[in-house]
Amino acid sequence: MEKVRVRFAPSPTGYLHIGGARTALFNWLFARHVGGVLVLRIEDTDVERSTQEATQQILDSMKWLGLSWDEGPFYQSQRYDLYKRRAQELLESGAAYKCFCTKERLEAMREKAAREKKDFIYDGTCRNLTPDEVKAKESAGESYVLRFRIPAAGETVFRDAIAKDVRFENALLGDFVIMRADGHPTYNFCCVVDDADMKITHVVRAADHISNTPRQILIYQALREPIPQFAHVPLILGPDKSKLSKRHGAASVMEYAADGFLPEAVFNYLALLGWSPGNDEEILPKEQLISRFDLYGINHVNAVFDIAKLRWMNGMYLRAMPKEEAIQRVIEYMPSKGIHPAQYDAVWLAGIIALEIERAETLSELVAHLHYYFRDDFPYDEEGARKIAKKGSIADGLQMAREALSGVAEFSIEAMESAMRQYTEERNIGFGKIAQPVRLALTGGLASPGLFEVMHLLGKEKCMARIERAILFFKEKNL
């Protein structure tokens, strides 16, 4: 049986976005499921728009997601000799011809088609030039492109693994350019030449490429190369069913990394955008995804991207990790937010992170929750302050807390809680009367892990200083 060979072929004219990453992931899962080969090809023939920065970002994105490749990366910009040779084959066989039509003539044809609300189809002016006519035009120094000669009648039909039977009328395809006047190959041509040369057996790509497929099939046939199995995966839409864009979430894969998402969670989520294991399972480790993935089970309906669902899944992965690994991930992420772990005691750092893991869905959210451990000049939540003030003076509550804690020598969790509860019970005061003001004074808000755990990690000196600061602030505000 022929070994499965798939390829991921991004264009480095921009960063790897979620749709491209999902295509790469489906190729990877299929190759791993059947013991095949994944080839990475960088389609950088667009000289003006392709950049090294975008190329590196694509490679970094795939590595971050854990999408290893078996061959490559190959760069189309380094394969021009192959394209020229194969284009010459088509020219000699009559499957391609030289077209001398000027840019002005072609633009006039496009404008006419637009006015008539029709698709532009080349009219074949140069299709039947005689050898003498071609020679005369070349002798006159006229520049030319190479066009592929589309059959004048009939259909190009193919069986797609996802979209099923697809048909295109040849007459509507038009003779298309395969080599530009400057010698650069076009996408449809070099894509086929590369896939044939790399012996690709399955072309798994986004559904918006389906219109390229009949042209590519005709090139395969003209080059006498085997035609691969095509599988056009559904597009990814936003929750409003419009084309996925930045307003629906981060645009590129590495933005998700920067936003504190875990690669395992993004991998899992993308795998389920358009494919399902056949039940309601949603948390599937990579090994299970490999063993259960079915290329022919991909849904033909467009998938909907939901950032809230991704955040939920990320939180599930974060909390399911061994605590030590999760803490290490946070520590490695901290420098991107301006916190340098080496400046702090490792045990203390692990302690504050462990307290917050249950409350966060992403690393960035978790680190943001830790802000009050690293600064004393944070603002107070105004809405939270008003909420407390409705039940009594914040400054008075803090002064009572200061009095309750003043005699606590060892700032242990048990000692602090005992002192504050004893104080409120002896005076018949509700515990919240002093606990909520203290939480506001120490963290800037009303949402935090256990108050006494936070106080223990902050230490007595810092806690008492923050209570004093808050007393002065809220007295001045008459709260």
Side-chain angles (χ1 to χ4, degrees):
M1 183 178 177
E2 184 181 27
K3 188 166 189 175
V4 167
R5 292 176 62 85
V6 295
R7 48 62 158 190
F8 178 55
S11 175
T13 54
Y15 296 158
L16 183 62
H17 52 78
I18 283 297
R22 198 272 306 266
T23 297
L25 188 146
F26 280 174
N27 275 282
W28 188 91
L29 283 174
F30 180 50
R32 296 295 173 263
H33 178 75
V34 299
V37 172
L38 172 62
V39 178
L40 177 60
R41 184 172 76 228
I42 306 297
E43 299 193 334
D44 57 348
T45 55
D46 188 337
V47 179
E48 293 183 359
R49 297 175 59 220
S50 295
T51 67
Q52 182 55 45
E53 180 185 6
T55 298
Q56 189 58 53
Q57 194 268 0
I58 290 169
L59 300 178
D60 291 344
S61 298
M62 292 188 67
K63 289 175 183 176
W64 183 75
L65 281 170
L67 300 176
S68 55
W69 52 90
D70 305 301
E71 295 179 14
F74 299 107
Y75 295 85
Q76 287 189 332
S77 59
Q78 300 172 6
R79 297 167 61 81
Y80 280 8
D81 288 345
L82 174 62
Y83 306 140
K84 290 177 181 177
R85 177 167 58 82
R86 303 237 61 181
Q88 185 62 31
E89 289 179 31
L90 294 179
L91 188 61
E92 292 175 357
S93 70
Y97 61 89
K98 295 177 181 179
C99 174
F100 298 89
C101 290
T102 63
K103 291 181 180 178
E104 291 75 17
R105 182 178 185 280
L106 293 171
E107 186 58 35
M109 290 175 61
R110 289 190 180 90
E111 290 176 358
K112 183 176 183 293
R115 286 194 303 272
E116 296 174 355
K117 297 182 179 181
K118 297 178 179 178
D119 292 332
F120 167 71
I121 300 175
Y122 178 63
D123 64 1
T125 297
C126 296
R127 181 182 174 107
N128 297 313
L129 291 177
T130 66
D132 288 342
E133 288 174 322
V134 170
K135 187 174 182 180
K137 287 179 176 293
E138 287 184 291
S139 298
E142 293 185 33
S143 64
Y144 61 85
V145 299
L146 291 187
R147 286 188 183 274
F148 186 82
R149 193 186 302 272
I150 293 285
E155 292 182 322
T156 298
V157 182
F158 64 96
R159 178 78 171 172
D160 191 89
I162 300 166
K164 307 311 178 188
D165 289 329
V166 184
R167 296 173 175 273
F168 287 87
E169 289 185 42
N170 292 335
L172 299 179
L173 298 177
D175 294 352
F176 57 94
V177 176
I178 60 172
M179 294 290 283
R180 299 184 179 92
D182 60 5
H184 283 82
T186 60
Y187 166 76
N188 278 318
F189 177 62
C190 52
C191 175
V192 171
V193 170
D194 282 336
D195 284 345
D197 184 62
M198 297 172 185
K199 303 188 185 312
I200 301 302
T201 61
H202 294 72
V203 174
V204 183
R205 59 189 180 187
D208 52 3
H209 281 286
I210 204 162
S211 61
N212 292 318
T213 308
R215 295 176 175 86
Q216 293 174 5
I217 287 174
L218 291 169
I219 296 174
Y220 278 112
Q221 293 171 340
L223 290 173
R224 294 184 174 83
E225 295 287 359
I227 299 171
Q229 167 71 69
F230 288 95
H232 289 90
V233 302
L235 301 180
I236 302 176
L237 306 178
D240 57 0
K241 305 300 172 65
S242 65
K243 185 177 180 181
L244 188 65
S245 65
K246 191 173 177 62
R247 65 190 171 90
H248 297 118
S252 74
V253 170
M254 295 314 291
E255 283 185 64
Y256 286 94
D259 287 346
F261 286 87
L262 303 173
E264 302 95 319
V266 177
F267 187 105
N268 188 161
Y269 181 74
L270 290 180
L272 299 180
L273 278 182
W275 173 81
S276 166
N279 51 34
D280 294 331
E281 289 181 85
E282 294 183 305
I283 305 300
L284 293 166
K286 189 176 292 187
E287 295 73 22
Q288 286 193 39
L289 288 169
I290 292 172
S291 66
R292 298 169 70 175
F293 184 75
D294 178 13
L295 178 68
Y296 298 88
I298 294 175
N299 198 325
H300 68 278
V301 178
N302 290 333
V304 176
F305 180 83
D306 184 350
I307 187 66
K309 184 68 172 290
L310 174 56
R311 289 178 61 85
W312 167 82
M313 187 172 286
N314 200 77
M316 295 293 287
Y317 267 89
L318 183 60
R319 288 183 286 277
M321 273 184 184
K323 192 61 66 78
E324 296 76 14
E325 182 181 350
I327 289 170
Q328 185 58 36
R329 295 281 189 104
V330 178
I331 289 173
E332 292 171 357
Y333 180 77
M334 282 180 158
S336 70
K337 297 299 182 181
I339 300 172
H340 303 287
Q343 298 176 1
Y344 304 95
D345 177 76
V347 175
W348 176 81
L349 204 58
I352 66 171
I353 293 171
L355 267 187
E356 287 288 349
I357 282 179
E358 294 300 321
R359 299 178 59 241
E361 291 184 323
T362 66
L363 300 181
S364 59
E365 185 180 2
L366 194 155
V367 172
H369 287 172
L370 299 176
H371 73 95
Y372 55 83
Y373 288 105
F374 302 103
R375 54 180 293 202
D376 297 312
D377 60 345
F378 49 79
Y380 301 110
D381 174 18
E382 293 182 6
E383 185 178 343
R386 286 194 297 269
K387 184 176 180 181
I388 296 174
K390 286 180 180 178
K391 299 179 180 179
S393 167
I394 297 174
D396 288 350
L398 289 170
Q399 288 178 115
M400 287 188 279
R402 178 180 62 186
E403 184 180 347
L405 294 169
S406 60
V408 180
E410 180 188 353
F411 238 50
S412 67
I413 294 172
E414 296 78 9
M416 287 182 287
E417 182 171 10
S418 176
M420 286 179 61
R421 290 196 180 280
Q422 183 179 342
Y423 184 92
T424 55
E425 288 170 4
E426 288 176 352
R427 290 159 180 76
N428 198 28
I429 301 170
F431 184 68
K433 172 75 175 178
I434 64 174
Q436 285 295 71
V438 169
R439 192 186 300 275
L440 183 65
L442 300 184
T443 69
L446 301 186
S448 75
L451 175 60
F452 300 108
E453 285 83 355
V454 171
M455 293 175 71
H456 174 67
L457 287 165
L458 284 172
K460 182 174 183 178
E461 182 180 348
K462 193 174 286 289
C463 285
M464 299 310 289
R466 289 186 181 183
I467 289 173
E468 289 294 340
R469 170 189 176 236
I471 289 173
L472 293 174
F473 178 86
F474 289 111
K475 271 188 175 180
E476 187 177 320
K477 299 290 184 180
N478 292 318
L479 291 174

